[in-house]
Amino acid sequence: GAEALPLHADAAVLAGTLAAGETAEVALPPGRAAYLVAASGRVRVNGVAAGPRDGVAIAGETRLAITADEAAEVVLVDVADDER
């Protein structure tokens, strides 16, 4: 059977789908950063546009609003922000 890839870091990988016009809100606690990839579709992250396979590096934010401009699949990696 298929096994999950082990992740040996202070991180979490989240994935989801959004319908066109749908917004997902994600809390990002202090000391955390994130990297979001739109696997498909077009999204805006706190107003910043990302197309298919575009990546968005996120630091210094406590809330993320991810809005789908069209149906989209996204992957969000939440990591410790070593810069802070």
Side-chain angles (χ1 to χ4, degrees), residues 1-16:
E3 293 186 30
L5 177 67
L7 184 63
H8 301 287
D10 181 9
V13 178
L14 309 167

Side-chain angles (χ1 to χ4, degrees), residues 28-82:
L28 200 57
R32 305 299 295 175
Y35 187 77
L36 181 135
V37 175
S40 66
R42 297 188 180 282
V43 298
R44 285 175 284 120
V45 183
N46 291 359
V48 176
R53 293 184 292 230
D54 284 348
V56 179
I58 305 153
E61 301 283 345
T62 57
R63 268 203 136 16
L64 305 179
I66 305 162
T67 302
D69 292 331
E70 61 188 46
E73 295 178 323
V74 297
V75 177
L76 179 73
V77 181
D78 170 347
V79 297
D81 186 355
D82 293 334

